[in-house]
Amino acid sequence: MRVLVVTAVPAERDAVVRGVVSATETETAPEAEVSVPGGRTLHRVVRPPLTVDALAAGVGPAAAAAATATALTAAELGQAPYELVVSAGIGGGFAPAPLGSVVVGEAIVAADLGAETPDGFAAVTELGFGTVEHLPPPALVRAVAEATGAVRGAVLTVSTVTGSAERAAELRRRHPGAAAEAMEGFGVAEAAAAPGVPVLELRAISNAVGPRDRAAWRIGEALDALAGAFRHLPPALATWKEPSR
Ligand SMILES: O=C(O)c1cccc(C(=O)CC[C@H]2O[C@@H](n3cnc4c(=O)[nH]cnc43)[C@H](O)[C@@H]2O)c1
C-alpha cells in the first residue's frame, strides 16, 4: 500500500519518517530520497506492506495543494499510484485537545473560505458554489484513533493562524466539533479529491487556539507526539482497505 504523507516543513516530515522507521521490528527500514517535479524531494520509507512517501510541501493550503497534486500526478504517470494521502503536522488545539495530544480529522474543513457579509462570515457553499469540507473514510478514522490514541474531531484549515480569544470563539461557534486548527489539510484534501484518493489528517497539538503566545508553543513536544503517532499508524493502515467504490 503506497501512502503519501504531506507536511508543511522538513521538521514535521522528519518526525513522520522517524515514526514509521521506528515502527519496523528491526528499527531499520530502507529509505530513499526521490525527486518529484517542481524541485522537491520526498523521503521514502519501505515498511512492508506499506511504502510511505513523506513530502514537505510548504506552509499554507495553496503550497500544500500544489505539492500534493504534483506528487499524485507523478505517481499516477509512473504507474505507482498512492492509495491514501495524509496531511500531517503540528496544529493548534481546541479544548479538549491538550498540548502534545494527537487529533485525527473526522472532517477536513476550510474555515475561512468565503465572504464577510453584514450578517457575518458566509462560507462559499452558502454563496452557492465550491466545497468547504472533505470527509476521511470513517472506518479509517476509527482505526487510526484506536491505534494512536488520537482525539477525533474536525480539523479546521485557515490561512491565518488564530490570534485572539474572540476569533477562537467564533470558529468554535461555527464548528462545534472542531478539535484542531492548521493551515494545509484542506489544500491536501482538495488535491486528493481530484483523482479520488482517500485523505486523512493527523495533527499533533503544539499550542492552544486563541490569544497569540509564542512562548507557550510546544513545537518540540508536538513533533515527538507526531513521530509517536506514525510509530503506531502502520498496522492500522495495513489492515484498512478502502471500500470498493
Ligand atoms: O507567530 C506565531 O505566533 C507563531 C509561532 C510559531 C508557529 C507559527 C505558525 O504560523 C505555524 C504555522 C504552521 O504550523 C501549523 N500550526 C501550528 N499551530 C497552528 C495554529 O494554532 N493554527 C494554525 N496553524 C497552526 C500550521 O499548519 C502551519 O504549518 C506562528
Side-chain angles (χ1 to χ4, degrees):
M1 177 179 182
R2 288 175 46 79
V3 181
L4 175 65
V5 181
V6 182
T7 69
V9 297
E12 294 166 318
R13 176 203 62 205
D14 296 345
V16 168
V17 170
R18 202 164 53 243
V20 175
V21 168
S22 67
T24 59
E25 286 68 33
T26 61
E27 290 287 311
T28 60
E31 292 183 54
E33 294 191 14
V34 178
S35 295
V36 291
R40 293 192 184 279
T41 300
L42 60 80
H43 287 216
R44 173 163 297 159
V45 183
V46 179
R47 189 255 183 221
L50 301 182
T51 293
V52 176
D53 285 350
L55 177 67
V59 172
T68 302
T70 301
L72 289 173
T73 303
E76 191 72 34
L77 294 176
Q79 278 85 42
Y82 292 107
E83 296 164 75
L84 176 68
V85 184
V86 183
S87 174
I90 64 174
F94 290 93
L99 301 196
S101 65
V102 177
V103 171
V104 59
E106 289 178 319
I108 300 172
V109 179
D112 54 12
L113 182 60
E116 283 299 338
T117 77
D119 300 324
F121 175 80
V124 284
T125 44
E126 297 171 78
L127 304 175
F129 50 87
T131 301
V132 293
E133 181 177 87
H134 289 282
L135 300 178
L140 179 58
V141 170
R142 285 194 297 272
V144 166
E146 192 171 317
T148 64
V151 171
R152 290 157 51 180
V155 180
L156 308 186
T157 297
V158 297
S159 292
T160 304
V161 175
T162 291
S164 68
E166 294 73 19
R167 176 65 176 162
E170 170 63 9
L171 287 173
R172 200 59 187 270
R173 184 187 62 76
R174 286 202 267 120
H175 304 281
E181 177 188 277
M183 298 177 79
E184 292 82 25
F186 190 77
V188 171
E190 281 280 79
V197 179
V199 67
L200 196 68
E201 184 164 10
L202 265 177
R203 290 287 164 179
I205 303 306
S206 54
N207 60 283
V209 175
R212 185 168 187 248
D213 177 3
R214 296 178 69 146
W217 286 55
R218 293 289 176 271
I219 295 177
E221 290 87 329
L223 291 172
D224 289 342
L226 187 64
F230 276 86
R231 177 184 179 86
H232 295 102
L233 200 60
L237 297 186
T239 56
W240 174 74
K241 279 290 171 220
E242 189 198 4
S244 54
R245 280 174 263 168

